[in-house]
């Protein structure tokens, strides 16, 4: 590729040993490119013909100009300084960072899927529509729901969509309910979505078994309550044992049950949210169905609903034609409208269907069984080393705590997490759920082997043992000492955030 031989800074093997990698802007050289446009056959209009003068830029966009060779070198070096699901165990509780099988990427790369424009008419995209309808049927089968939308781009976007559906349903019944109930162990996106959806949050406490306190719940329920948002298993990794009772008393006041499906991998093929009494479910395809998480997107947070709510879903929806002759797009009768351009993050949907097809129903059941087994193995092995706030069988994740380590040796959950990086593992989630002091929330996921679990548990045990020894606390406070970037001052970074890059046009 032209211009690839030399760049603004000498870039060759010696860089590998450096502590710092130059930014892409430091690698920039005017006129250097790593792309060329295909010949399309579309006449080449000039910018003057196409864009009115007042909308045209007067200066070039200040982007880095690099060759493909330098770009790939830069990205590869950066990727070696990262921890990723492809590298090793990533026990980040609540986030379900499980390994994403490569077959799903292969499917999503098929030209017949990847090269289709979302505006192509249904008559030319019957294969895509068939895929979407099959995925919808599969997701309804595992959730016990009647229909779904694929538009939401992540779990939180699904929550907002579900709440808007809830609002539309009550509105259609001539009711303006104002409150949504959420347990105090809920994920932070739940109350945020409730507020965005125009509702007030009513919080109910957990009882001493880590479940919704039934007396407190009953006390806040009345006909002003639009619904309750729950995740089951909840964010403490525990199954809400009173779910049928909860469903009964929320439905009794005319409210709906919203299921935050971020933890669905714990119950796949075992029990369905619909059978527990839920009316609306969002699914995190980028968790349960192993499509990659990517820095806030592109993920997919489809929302599935019971039959009474299908008419309110965003549109258009892919459906089988009534005459049995293929598929078409259909607007639900009382749709809340679009929540995403086009049809959502479509290739994430293709990945999810590939994952479901490869596993089959029995494979999905094994996913759940293995996820729960792995978490309970860790709980049992580590219960003598760390505090176990709720010492009973957990589901796919276990919440431990470093409260005793902090009290005795001044070593906190944050220190344990940072030390774990030195041991070659990603850190667990810390300080969440908020109801647990010094929480360490560990989700091993079903993809890790017994050997990996043993290595992970061994690392946790070494860290705890070291804390009790002379100089051990100091080592924990200094961690991580072996990673490309050491311990950062996170409070300073948050308070003095520098979110801009002083980029000058490279031709200047
Ligand atoms: C329980 C729960 N609910 C909702 C979400 C939000 O999902 P997303 O990050 O896809 O927006 C998460 C994310 O970790 C979660 O763990």
């Amino acid at each position: 590729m032209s211009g690839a031989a030399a760049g603004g800074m000498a870039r060759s093997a010696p860089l590998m040993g450096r502590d710092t990698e130059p930014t892409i802007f430091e690698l920039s050289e005017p006129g250097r490119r790593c792309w060329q446009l295909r010949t399309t056959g579309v006449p080449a209009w000039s910018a003057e013909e196409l864009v009115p003068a007042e909308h045209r830029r007067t200066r070039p966009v200040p982007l880095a100009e690099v060759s493909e060779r330098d770009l790939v070198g830069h990205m590869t070096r950066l990727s070696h300084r990262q921890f990723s699901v492809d590298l090793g165990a990533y026990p980040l509780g609540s986030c379900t960072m499980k390994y994403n099988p490569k077959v799903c990427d292969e499917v999503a790369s098929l030209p017949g899927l990847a090269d289709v424009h979302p505006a192509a008419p249904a008559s030319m995209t019957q294969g895509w529509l068939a895929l979407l309808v099959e995925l919808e049927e599969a997701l309804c089968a595992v959730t016990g729901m009647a229909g779904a939308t694929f538009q939401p781009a992540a779990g939180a976007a699904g929550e907002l969509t579900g709440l808007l559906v809830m609002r539309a349903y009550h509105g259609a019944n001539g009711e303006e309910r104002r409150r949504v109930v959420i347990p105090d162990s809920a994920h932070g996106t739940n109350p945020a979505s409730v507020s965005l959806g125009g509702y007030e949050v009513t919080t109910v406490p957990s009882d001493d078994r880590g479940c919704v306190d039934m007396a407190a719940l009953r006390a806040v329920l009345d006909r002003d309550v639009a619904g309750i948002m729950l995740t089951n298993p909840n964010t403490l990794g525990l199954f809400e044992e009173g779910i049928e009772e909860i469903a009964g008393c929320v439905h009794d006041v005319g409210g709906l049950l919203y299921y935050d499906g971020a933890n669905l991998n714990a119950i796949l093929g075992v029990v369905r949210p619909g059978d527990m009494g839920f009316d609306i479910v969002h699914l995190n395809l980028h968790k349960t169905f192993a499509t990659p998480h990517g820095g806030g997107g592109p993920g997919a947070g489809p929302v599935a609903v019971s039959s009474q709510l299908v008419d309110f879903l965003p549109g258009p929806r892919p459906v089988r034609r009534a005459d049995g002759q293929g598929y078409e797009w259909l607007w639900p009768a009382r749709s809340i409208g679009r929540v995403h351009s086009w049809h959502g993050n479509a290739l994430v949907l293709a990945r999810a269907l590939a994952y479901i097809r490869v596993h089959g129903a029995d494979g999905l059941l094994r996913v759940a069984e293995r996820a729960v087994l792995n978490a309970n193995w860790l709980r049992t092995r580590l219960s003598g080393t760390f505090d176990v706030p709720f010492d009973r069988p957990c589901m796919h994740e276990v919440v431990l705590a470093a409260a005793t380590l902090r009290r005795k040796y001044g070593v906190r959950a944050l220190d344990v997490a940072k030390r774990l990086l030195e041991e070659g593992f990603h850190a667990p989630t810390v300080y969440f759920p908020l109801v647990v002091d010094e929480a360490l929330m560990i989700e091993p996921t079903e993809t890790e082997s017994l050997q990996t679990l043993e290595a992970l548990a061994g690392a946790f045990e070494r860290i705890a043992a070291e804390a009790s020894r002379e100089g051990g606390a100091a080592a924990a406070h200094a961690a991580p000492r072996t990673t490309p970037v050491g311990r950062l001052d996170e409070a300073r970074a948050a308070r003095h955030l520098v979110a801009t890059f002083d980029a000058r046009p490279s031709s200047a």
Side-chain angles (χ1 to χ4, degrees):
M1 179 156 281
S2 64
M9 302 178 68
R11 286 175 291 286
S12 56
L15 260 184
M16 299 292 288
R18 288 179 47 160
D19 283 348
T20 55
E21 171 69 17
T23 66
I24 194 76
F25 290 95
E26 289 171 306
L27 295 175
S28 179
E29 282 291 309
R32 192 154 292 164
R33 294 284 178 273
C34 61
W35 50 263
Q36 55 184 357
L37 294 179
R38 284 195 268 185
T39 312
T40 59
V42 177
W45 285 295
S46 66
E48 284 73 19
E49 286 172 283
L50 289 173
V51 185
E54 67 272 24
H55 295 310
R56 255 176 262 147
R57 293 191 68 91
T58 53
R59 290 191 303 150
V61 186
L63 295 177
E65 299 178 77
V66 286
S67 67
E68 177 177 323
R69 202 271 155 272
D70 289 350
L71 180 65
V72 170
H74 176 65
M75 291 302 176
T76 306
R77 287 190 299 273
L78 285 182
S79 72
H80 289 177
R81 297 154 65 90
Q82 290 277 5
F83 196 92
S84 73
V85 273
D86 282 352
L87 205 57
Y90 205 128
L92 195 67
S94 196
C95 292
T96 311
M97 298 296 288
K98 67 186 182 190
Y99 174 74
N100 306 150
K102 297 301 167 220
V103 63
C104 305
D105 291 340
E106 272 175 44
V107 168
S109 308
L110 293 173
L113 295 177
D115 290 353
V116 177
H117 194 282
S123 59
M124 293 171 68
T125 52
Q126 286 292 296
W128 248 121
L129 271 94
L131 183 157
L132 295 177
V133 168
E134 184 181 336
L135 179 61
E136 179 178 0
E137 287 168 357
L139 297 183
C140 286
V142 292
T143 54
M145 293 287 133
T149 172
F150 294 127
Q151 287 184 20
E159 290 170 23
L160 177 60
T161 305
L163 286 155
L164 294 178
V165 167
M166 189 183 278
R167 172 177 283 284
Y169 164 80
H170 288 304
N173 291 337
E175 290 189 313
E176 259 210 55
R177 298 178 175 231
R178 286 177 307 150
R179 296 188 294 124
V180 171
V181 178
I182 298 185
D184 61 358
S185 62
H187 192 262
T189 50
N190 291 185
S193 301
V194 167
S195 299
L196 267 180
Y199 285 114
E200 285 166 30
V201 176
T202 299
T203 308
V204 284
S206 306
D207 63 17
D208 53 10
R209 287 180 57 74
C211 292
V212 170
D213 183 322
M214 283 308 299
L217 175 63
R218 286 183 190 284
V220 298
L221 288 180
D222 59 27
R223 297 202 71 84
D224 194 31
V225 168
I228 184 168
M229 279 184 104
L230 285 178
T231 177
N232 196 13
N234 64 22
T235 57
L236 292 163
L238 304 171
F239 195 81
E240 281 293 344
E241 294 159 339
I243 187 60
E244 283 176 317
E245 195 183 345
I246 294 173
C249 51
V250 174
H251 283 151
D252 281 349
V253 294
L256 296 176
L257 272 85
Y258 182 102
Y259 183 87
D260 175 338
N263 297 333
L264 193 81
N265 60 327
I267 59 163
L268 271 182
V270 181
V271 59
R272 306 183 307 171
D275 299 336
M276 295 185 222
F278 285 93
D279 307 286
I280 308 174
V281 179
H282 90 249
L283 300 166
N284 288 50
L285 297 190
H286 46 289
K287 298 180 178 185
T288 309
F289 298 104
T291 69
H293 292 49
V303 173
V305 295
S306 57
S307 53
Q308 60 179 346
L309 300 173
V310 173
D311 275 354
F312 298 97
L313 285 173
R317 294 178 56 224
V319 292
R320 288 177 201 280
R321 286 170 56 111
D323 60 10
Q325 304 293 305
Y327 304 87
E328 63 185 352
W329 292 105
L330 188 80
W331 272 94
R334 294 184 283 183
S335 175
I336 59 165
R338 277 189 179 281
V339 296
H340 193 287
S341 56
W342 302 114
H343 314 303
N345 288 325
L347 291 172
V348 175
L349 306 174
R351 282 185 169 90
L353 184 61
Y355 183 82
I356 290 170
R357 280 262 195 118
V358 164
H359 281 81
D362 54 339
L364 292 181
L365 173 64
R366 280 201 301 279
V367 163
E369 290 173 346
R370 190 72 68 85
V372 173
L373 182 65
N374 281 0
N376 278 290
W377 188 93
L378 276 179
R379 179 182 62 82
T380 310
R381 165 93 178 241
L382 292 175
S383 59
T385 310
F386 290 89
D387 309 304
V388 189
F390 299 97
D391 197 6
R392 65 181 172 98
C394 59
M395 298 295 287
H396 63 308
E397 55 198 358
V398 55
V399 178
L400 303 176
T404 305
L405 277 190
R406 185 193 57 192
R407 200 180 59 251
K408 283 186 164 169
Y409 313 114
V411 171
R412 307 186 56 201
L414 180 71
D415 305 318
V416 174
K418 300 287 186 194
R419 264 287 287 117
L420 203 62
L421 302 179
E422 295 179 349
E423 298 278 341
F425 294 99
H426 194 280
T429 295
V430 289
Y431 301 108
F432 178 78
L434 302 177
V435 290
V436 172
D437 187 28
E438 295 292 335
L440 288 160
M441 187 188 205
I442 305 168
E443 181 175 359
T445 80
E446 65 279 6
T447 44
E448 300 311 328
S449 66
L450 177 60
Q451 288 71 24
T452 303
L453 295 186
E454 280 169 343
L456 178 63
F460 272 112
E461 286 162 354
R462 267 194 303 285
I463 294 167
E466 178 191 89
S468 66
R469 290 200 291 269
E470 177 83 30
H477 295 150
R481 296 156 295 184
T482 53
T483 48
V485 177
R487 177 108 46 135
L488 299 173
D489 183 343
E490 286 158 10
R492 184 154 170 255
R495 289 199 185 129
H496 304 283
L497 181 67
V498 180
T500 54
F501 177 80
D502 179 20
R504 286 165 292 273
S506 53
S507 54

